[in-house]
C-alpha cells in the first residue's frame, strides 16, 4: 500500500505451508555394497523434499546385544558437513552406517536414517554355513554359526525382497542360528554381530532350484575350485551351461566347472543352467596370495 495515495498493489501469488506431525527420515545409500578389501565407500544422505540449509551427520552403527539394537558413533569429521555425501577410505570389513540431517538456529534434526551396510566376504570373524554352500533348496535345514574371538554373537540378516531393514535370527542356540525349513523369503545377506562392535564376514544366501554349488568364502589365488549344478533329486548334473558375469564359459557333457588355478580375473558372478532352468547367481571372491617370510 502506498499511504499518500491510498493505492494498493495486486495480490501476490499464494504460498502453501505444510506442517508435518512427524520428523523427516533421510534415506542413506552406500556404494559399493560389497567390498573389495581396502576400497573406498561413498555414503549419500537424501532428505525428502530437499531444500537449502541442511547439514549432515554421519555415524557408524555399533551393535548392542544387551539392548538387541545398535548405538551410533559419530564418524571422524562427520558432524554437520555441508555436503550430502561422505567418503570412507580403506574400508576392509562389514560395517553398518547411519545418517541424519539438521538445519536452523537452534538446529532442528531429522530422525536417523535406517542403517545401511557395506558387506565384506573377508573378515577376522566368520559366518560358517551348513550345508557348506550359499545356495539352498527350499525346505532345507540350514545352520549358520559365528566364529571369532568373541563369546557372544547375534546372527542378523537383510532380506533380498521385503522390508528395508535388517532382522534378527529367530532361533539362536549359543552362537548358531538354526533355520529348520528354509524358504524363498529367507533369501538375503546374513552376518554376525558381537556386543563389542565386531562384524563377521557376510554371506549372501539364496533359496532356489536348481542350485549352483560354489565356495561360501573367498578363494585364494592359485587354489583349485570346482563348481557344479545340482537338483534336490540329483546331486551332480551333466550337460550344464555355466556362466561367468552372464557370459557362457562352458557348455559340454561335463557336470562340473573346474578352475585349476584361480586368478583375480575369475572373480565375479557365476550361475548354471540345466534343461532350461537357471540357478540364481552367486559371487565368488578371490583374495591375493600373500607369502610370509619369518626370519630368525
Amino acid at each position: 500500500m502506498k499511504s499518500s495515495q491510498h493505492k494498493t498493489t495486486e495480490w501476490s501469488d499464494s504460498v502453501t505451508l505444510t506442517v508435518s506431525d512427524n520428523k523427516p527420515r533421510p534415506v542413506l545409500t552406500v556404494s559399493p555394497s560389497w567390498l573389495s578389501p581396502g576400497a573406498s565407500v561413498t555414503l549419500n544422505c537424501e532428505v525428502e523434499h530437499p531444500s537449502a540449509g541442511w547439514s549432515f551427520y554421519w555415524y557408524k552403527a555399533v551393535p548392542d546385544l544387551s539392548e538387541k539394537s545398535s548405538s551410533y558413533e559419530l564418524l571422524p569429521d562427520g558432524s554437520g558437513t555441508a555436503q550430502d555425501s561422505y567418503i570412507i577410505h580403506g574400508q576392509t570389513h562389514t560395517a553398518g552406517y547411519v545418517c541424519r540431517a539438521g538445519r536452523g538456529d537452534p538446529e532442528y534434526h531429522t530422525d536417523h536414517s535406517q542403517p545401511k551396510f557395506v558387506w565384506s566376504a573377508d573378515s577376522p570373524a566368520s559366518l560358517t554355513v551348513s550345508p557348506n554352500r550359499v545356495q539352498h533348496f527350499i525346505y532345507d535345514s540350514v545352520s549358520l554359526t559365528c566364529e571369532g574371538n568373541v563369546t557372544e554373537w547375534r546372527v542378523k540378516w537383510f532380506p533380498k525382497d521385503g522390508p528395508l531393514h535388517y532382522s534378527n535370527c529367530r532361533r539362536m542356540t549359543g552362537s548358531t542360528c538354526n533355520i529348520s525349513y528354509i524358504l524363498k523369503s529367507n533369501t538375503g545377506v546374513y552376518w554376525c554381530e558381537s556386543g563389542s562392535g565386531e562384524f563377521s564376514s557376510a554371506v549372501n544366501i539364496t533359496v532356489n532350484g536348481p542350485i549352483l554349488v560354489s565356495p561360501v568364502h573367498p578363494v585364494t589365488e592359485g587354489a583349485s575350485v570346482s563348481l557344479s549344478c545340482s537338483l534336490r533329486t540329483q546331486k551332480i548334473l551333466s550337460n550344464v551351461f555355466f556362466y561367468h558375469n552372464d557370459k557362457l564359459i562352458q557348455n559340454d557333457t561335463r557336470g562340473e566347472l573346474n578352475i585349476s588355478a584361480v586368478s583375480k580375473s575369475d572373480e565375479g558372478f557365476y550361475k548354471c543352467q540345466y534343461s532350461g532352468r537357471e540357478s540364481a547367481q552367486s559371487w565368488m571372491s578371490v583374495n591375493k596370495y600373500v607369502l610370509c617370510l619369518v626370519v630368525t
Side-chain angles (χ1 to χ4, degrees), residues 8 14 28 33 37 52 57 75 91 94 107 114 141 144 151 165 191 235 241 244 254 271 290:
T8 60
S14 63
L28 178 66
S33 55
Y57 297 80
L75 290 168
Q91 180 73 31
T94 296
E107 192 168 45
Q114 288 284 358
S141 176
L144 304 101
T151 56
H165 56 79
W191 71 98
K235 295 305 179 186
F241 295 6
H244 178 217
R254 290 174 292 173
K271 64 182 178 181
V290 178

Side-chain angles (χ1 to χ4, degrees), residues 184-201:
K184 282 195 173 183
S185 58
N186 294 118
T187 293
V189 180
Y190 290 74
W191 71 98
C192 305
E193 293 183 5
S194 75
S196 57
E198 287 187 65
F199 289 80
S200 74
S201 56

Side-chain angles (χ1 to χ4, degrees), residues 126-131 141-148 150-156 168-180 190-193:
S126 65
L127 174 65
T128 60
V129 184
S130 179
S141 176
V142 177
S143 62
L144 304 101
T145 302
C146 305
E147 297 179 348
V150 178
T151 56
E152 189 177 9
W153 290 99
R154 179 175 61 206
V155 174
K156 310 199 81 166
N168 294 320
C169 172
R170 293 182 179 179
R171 292 183 58 201
M172 287 289 299
T173 304
S175 297
T176 298
C177 170
N178 298 293
I179 306 174
S180 299
Y190 290 74
W191 71 98
C192 305
E193 293 183 5

Side-chain angles (χ1 to χ4, degrees), residues 165-244:
H165 56 79
Y166 57 83
S167 302
N168 294 320
C169 172
R170 293 182 179 179
R171 292 183 58 201
M172 287 289 299
T173 304
S175 297
T176 298
C177 170
N178 298 293
I179 306 174
S180 299
Y181 302 100
I182 199 164
L183 303 173
K184 282 195 173 183
S185 58
N186 294 118
T187 293
V189 180
Y190 290 74
W191 71 98
C192 305
E193 293 183 5
S194 75
S196 57
E198 287 187 65
F199 289 80
S200 74
S201 56
V203 177
N204 196 354
I205 288 179
T206 304
V207 183
N208 200 33
I211 65 171
L212 176 73
V213 181
S214 61
V216 173
H217 297 295
V219 180
T220 303
E221 277 188 323
S224 61
V225 173
S226 292
L227 288 77
S228 62
C229 206
S230 178
L231 293 173
R232 180 184 290 279
T233 56
Q234 191 174 350
K235 295 305 179 186
I236 298 181
L237 307 172
S238 58
N239 297 316
V240 174
F241 295 6
F242 288 97
Y243 295 83
H244 178 217

